[in-house]
Amino acid sequence: NAGVTQTPKFRVLKTGQSMTLLCAQDMNHEYMYWYRQDPGMGLRLIHYSVGEGTTAKGEVPDGYNVSRLKKQNFLLGLESAAPSQTSVYFCALRAQGETQYFGPGTRLLVL
Amino acid sequence: DAKTTQPNSMESNEEEPVHLPCNHSTISGTDYIHWYRQLPSQGPEYVIHGLTSNVNNRMASLAIAEDRKSSTLILHRATLRDAAVYYCILRDYGSGTYKYIFGTGTRLKVLA
């Protein structure tokens, strides 16, 4: 996974609870992305960052917030979790030549 | 919306070549064609990408049609470890950066 780690690997939340997913890189890449993948579907972009201190909305940003205070870390927050946010969340970073390297994923179940 | 069209599933026998097609009729002149694959319970991994010419690497070959409206990912000798979902992706430019739009991909089943 080219030095991309995600924490936690698995989490169960109750509706209305909040949590933060952490994506960390041990390299120096500017671009980082958060995707979600629902069963049988492709990945959909939630938010992305083009560098430290910057964030932008992707295809499905509602219900999520992000922060990139340090270049190495990209945080995805759920302020009030809903069952519709049950999914697998993948972080990715963009290396040279636009190749993206993905983390192992975080499985989130919202009851 | 995904800008590519792929068959939902394909099967191949082990040790035989596999040709995975992708249609991208709305491709622009500067769009690279990217292929990723996703093994079960893992994140997607890069396979190959190209612009106009055919491309080869240790994992696969990419054959791009002359009009660039379609491409084919070629696995020269399929192994059981190649069973995965293969995504053909174009970039989508907006808000100052390129993003990937994933479709549902092709699920490749390799038969022993």
Side-chain angles (χ1 to χ4, degrees), chain A residues 31 33 35 37 40-45 48 50 57-59 90 94 97-104 107, chain B residues 1 32 34 36 38 41-46 49 87 91 94-104 107:
Chain A
Y31 289 71
Y33 306 83
Y35 294 88
Q37 185 174 34
M41 304 290 289
L43 280 70
R44 291 184 293 168
L45 183 65
Y48 62 97
V50 301
K57 294 180 180 180
E59 297 174 77
F90 289 101
R94 196 181 91 182
E98 298 185 23
T99 301
Q100 290 197 8
Y101 292 99
F102 288 81
R107 295 183 179 275
Chain B
D1 292 334
Y32 279 82
H34 296 257
Y36 282 74
Q38 187 173 21
S41 301
Q42 294 189 25
E45 65 172 342
Y46 169 80
H49 76 283
Y87 296 99
R91 297 177 309 184
S95 301
T97 190
Y98 288 102
K99 300 180 283 288
Y100 289 168
I101 305 298
F102 282 76
T104 54
R107 183 173 298 277

Side-chain angles (χ1 to χ4, degrees), chain B residues 20-74:
Chain B
L20 298 167
C22 180
N23 288 319
H24 28 79
S25 57
T26 61
I27 192 170
S28 73
T30 57
D31 273 345
Y32 279 82
I33 301 153
H34 296 257
W35 283 83
Y36 282 74
R37 72 179 186 181
Q38 187 173 21
L39 301 171
S41 301
Q42 294 189 25
E45 65 172 342
Y46 169 80
V47 177
I48 200 167
H49 76 283
L51 184 62
T52 55
S53 303
N54 294 345
V55 184
N56 301 295
N57 65 23
R58 64 176 181 81
M59 288 182 70
S61 296
L62 176 60
I64 301 172
E66 195 169 336
D67 64 5
R68 301 207 331 119
K69 293 186 176 181
S70 66
S71 62
T72 302
L73 179 71
I74 302 165

Side-chain angles (χ1 to χ4, degrees), chain A residues 1-6 23-27 32 91-93 101-104:
Chain A
N1 294 322
V4 184
T5 59
Q6 292 185 234
C23 176
Q25 60 163 317
D26 59 7
M27 293 167 283
M32 297 185 76
C91 173
L93 56 85
Y101 292 99
F102 288 81

Side-chain angles (χ1 to χ4, degrees), chain A residues 6-35:
Chain A
Q6 292 185 234
T7 310
K9 288 184 172 53
F10 177 69
R11 184 76 182 269
V12 179
L13 288 180
K14 294 181 179 178
T15 297
Q17 288 185 318
S18 63
M19 79 164 293
T20 300
L21 284 70
L22 169 65
C23 176
Q25 60 163 317
D26 59 7
M27 293 167 283
N28 201 35
H29 297 296
E30 298 286 347
Y31 289 71
M32 297 185 76
Y33 306 83
W34 274 109
Y35 294 88

Side-chain angles (χ1 to χ4, degrees), chain A residues 42-55:
Chain A
L43 280 70
R44 291 184 293 168
L45 183 65
I46 305 171
H47 285 279
Y48 62 97
S49 169
V50 301
E52 183 177 311
T54 73
T55 62

